[in-house]
């Protein structure tokens, strides 16, 4: 419980330190030190004002970090500005901080990685998995980003596209990972949609709502994954679906198509089907074609192969899959599914087992292992 509260307060505390003159890298280090102290102290002695406690401790950590004569002189000037214990302002600085981290001095990919680490609360490993790169590579990228912005004034916020990318990755981690950030990503995207009239902001919000509407049906009572085709659609949140579809339709009507609108259109087609068998896979393939044109993403081409397999048959899907990099995460799982659809149970079982060994999390590994066991049980002895 304390760790969840600490995580939710981190962006606001970091924003306070930046506003008070701390450069971003030093502020982030100070906040992290304060969080460690909170985890140690709060279980036995919880503060009355959690945010005020974190701001006070983080500011002191920041001041204590200065070791040079220049830092000591600056610290003497800043000591007078140290926030007194007591209630802290309730303003939500999180979205503003997202924009500040998307600084023009950083490349978009570095800005996204830095924001996910400093504001989103994701670990370096989680960010590396989202980017499909080794953890060491991502650690170096984040370190370079911190060095780049060290000492830079955060008075020139970054662009909307970078912030959208960050929000999308935070939502995905919250939706499928071990840190629940999905609701926070939706809240911030709602704020952004209210402040900026931009079809891609609306497209991202629609996409989040349509995916979030299915969340209750994605896992069984024992915690195991439930594939989309097997989900109880009666558990889908129809109010979120209706809201997402309405937002998407308004965005598409502006005829400024972007990748988030295209992804939301695919999610809407899934949500619109009364049963899995009634899914309009032909139209979904068409939207994947648009998405491929917009992004040329290997993950999009992987998902397109699944859609082609549903629309035109498993062999057509396998042919589309052959053009996708086999080292891509979940490529083996897709191959297993398509081979099963094609009736090659022996190959499918072997590939499911192989995919389970590569799975990024326990729930997915257990699901793929069960798929392999199911097919092995059906094979003649």
């Amino acid at each position: 419980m304390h760790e969840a509260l600490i995580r939710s307060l981190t962006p606001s505390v970091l924003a306070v330190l930046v506003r008070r003159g701390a450069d971003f890298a030093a502020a982030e280090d100070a906040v992290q030190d304060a969080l460690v102290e909170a985890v140690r102290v709060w279980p036995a002695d919880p503060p009355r004002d959690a945010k005020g406690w974190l701001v006070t401790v983080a500011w002191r950590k920041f001041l204590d970090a200065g070791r040079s004569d220049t830092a000591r002189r600056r610290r003497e000037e800043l000591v007078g500005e140290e926030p007194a214990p007591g209630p802290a302002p309730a303003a939500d600085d999180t979205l503003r901080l997202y924009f500040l981290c998307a600084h023009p001095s950083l490349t978009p990919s570095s800005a996204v990685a830095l924001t996910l680490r400093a504001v989103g609360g994701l670990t370096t490993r989680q960010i590396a998995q989202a980017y499909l790169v080794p953890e060491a590579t991502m650690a170096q990228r984040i370190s370079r980003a911190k060095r780049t912005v060290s000492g830079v004034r955060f008075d020139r916020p970054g662009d909307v596209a970078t912030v959208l990318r960050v929000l999308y990755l935070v939502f995905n981690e919250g939706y499928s990972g071990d840190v629940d950030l999905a609701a926070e990503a939706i809240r911030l995207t709602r704020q952004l949609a209210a402040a900026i009239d931009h079809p891609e902001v609306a497209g991202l919000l629609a996409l989040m709502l349509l995916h979030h509407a299915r969340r209750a049906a994605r896992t069984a009572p024992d915690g195991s994954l439930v594939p989309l085709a097997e989900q109880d659609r009666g558990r889908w949140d129809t109010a979120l679906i209706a809201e997402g579809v309405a937002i998407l339709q308004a965005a598409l009507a502006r005829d400024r198509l972007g990748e988030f609108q295209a992804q939301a259109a695919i999610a809407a087609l899934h949500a619109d089907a009364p049963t899995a068998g009634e899914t309009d896979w032909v139209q979904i393939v068409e939207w994947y074609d648009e998405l491929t044109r917009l992004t040329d993403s290997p993950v999009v081409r992987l998902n397109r192969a699944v859609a082609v397999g549903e629309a035109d048959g498993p062999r057509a899907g396998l042919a589309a899959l052959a053009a996708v990099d086999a080292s891509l995460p979940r490529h083996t799982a897709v191959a297993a599914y398509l081979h099963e659809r094609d009736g090659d149970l022996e190959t499918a079982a072997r590939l499911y087992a192989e995919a389970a060994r590569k799975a990024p999390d326990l729930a997915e590994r257990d699901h793929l292992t069960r798929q392999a066991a199911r097919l092995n049980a059906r094979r003649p002895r």
Side-chain angles (χ1 to χ4, degrees):
M1 177 179 177
H2 288 305
E3 291 186 9
L5 176 59
I6 290 168
R7 185 181 297 281
S8 69
L9 292 172
T10 299
S12 294
V13 176
L14 183 56
V16 170
L17 266 65
V18 170
R19 283 206 310 270
R20 288 182 175 273
D23 74 64
F24 186 87
E28 204 238 338
D29 289 342
V31 171
Q32 292 301 320
D33 288 342
L35 300 184
V36 171
E37 186 73 5
V39 171
R40 185 182 69 82
V41 171
W42 286 12
D45 185 21
R48 286 192 298 272
D49 175 23
K51 180 179 175 182
W53 189 99
L54 284 171
V55 168
T56 299
V57 173
W59 190 252
R60 288 172 179 165
K61 296 285 186 184
F62 165 69
L63 294 177
D64 290 342
R67 300 301 183 193
S68 67
D69 291 340
T70 301
R72 281 197 294 271
R73 287 196 298 271
R74 179 59 181 150
R75 181 171 60 198
E76 290 172 0
E77 297 172 1
L78 294 174
V79 142
E81 302 174 19
E82 179 178 330
D92 184 354
D93 296 300
T94 309
L95 191 58
R96 177 175 178 270
L97 196 57
Y98 270 64
F99 271 95
L100 292 179
C101 287
H103 197 271
S105 63
L106 295 172
T107 65
S109 61
S110 294
V112 170
L114 178 63
T115 314
L116 289 173
R117 182 70 185 91
V119 189
L122 275 64
T123 66
T124 303
R125 174 172 295 181
Q126 289 168 323
I127 301 169
Q129 289 173 346
Y131 269 89
L132 310 178
V133 299
E135 184 177 355
T137 301
M138 183 52 64
Q140 292 173 355
R141 185 178 300 178
I142 293 172
S143 295
R144 285 196 301 269
K146 287 182 179 180
R147 288 196 299 270
T148 299
V149 300
S150 181
V152 171
R153 287 190 58 82
F154 278 73
D155 54 0
R156 292 187 298 149
D159 66 354
V160 175
T162 301
V163 174
L164 290 180
R165 178 63 51 193
V166 173
L167 289 169
Y168 176 62
L169 291 174
V170 169
F171 176 81
N172 281 342
E173 189 60 44
Y175 190 66
S176 62
D178 55 5
V179 179
D180 187 3
L181 295 168
E184 174 68 358
I186 291 174
R187 182 183 72 82
L188 292 172
T189 307
R190 284 190 186 279
Q191 286 187 10
L192 188 58
I196 299 177
D197 183 19
H198 192 298
E200 273 293 84
V201 176
L204 178 59
L205 178 58
L207 175 63
M208 289 180 175
L209 295 176
L210 290 164
H211 278 305
H212 208 58
R214 302 200 301 260
R215 188 170 189 177
R218 291 185 72 244
T219 54
D222 63 0
S224 59
L225 292 179
V226 180
L228 177 60
E230 300 171 19
Q231 288 177 15
D232 177 2
R233 298 182 180 223
R235 299 184 64 196
W236 290 0
D237 189 327
T238 55
L240 282 184
I241 290 173
E243 182 185 4
V245 169
I247 292 171
L248 173 64
Q249 288 175 338
L252 291 175
R254 301 178 65 175
D255 198 24
R256 290 168 54 194
L257 183 64
E259 62 174 297
F260 293 122
Q261 294 170 74
Q263 288 190 59
I266 293 169
L269 286 167
H270 283 297
D272 187 56
T275 66
E278 296 174 85
T279 304
D280 189 346
W281 287 106
V282 172
Q283 193 172 168
I284 287 175
V285 170
E286 292 174 355
W287 276 111
Y288 271 121
D289 289 340
E290 288 285 350
L291 198 51
T292 301
R293 180 181 61 79
L294 289 166
T295 68
D296 194 30
S297 162
V299 175
V300 169
R301 284 186 269 116
L302 180 67
N303 292 333
R304 179 185 178 278
V306 177
V308 169
E310 298 290 352
D312 301 327
R315 295 195 178 182
L318 287 167
L321 184 64
V324 180
D325 183 358
S327 66
L328 198 66
R330 299 188 173 88
H331 184 285
T332 307
V334 170
Y337 173 74
L338 292 171
H339 277 290
E340 180 185 356
R341 288 279 319 281
D342 197 37
D344 187 351
L345 302 189
E346 181 177 357
T347 299
R350 175 177 57 79
L351 290 172
Y352 275 130
E354 181 183 339
R357 292 191 292 271
K358 301 176 181 177
D361 58 68
L362 181 61
E364 187 171 341
R365 181 161 64 247
D366 288 346
H367 170 71
L368 293 167
T369 299
R370 283 193 295 271
Q371 295 295 87
R374 173 180 58 81
L375 293 188
N376 282 327
R378 288 173 53 187
R379 288 167 52 197
R381 299 296 180 183

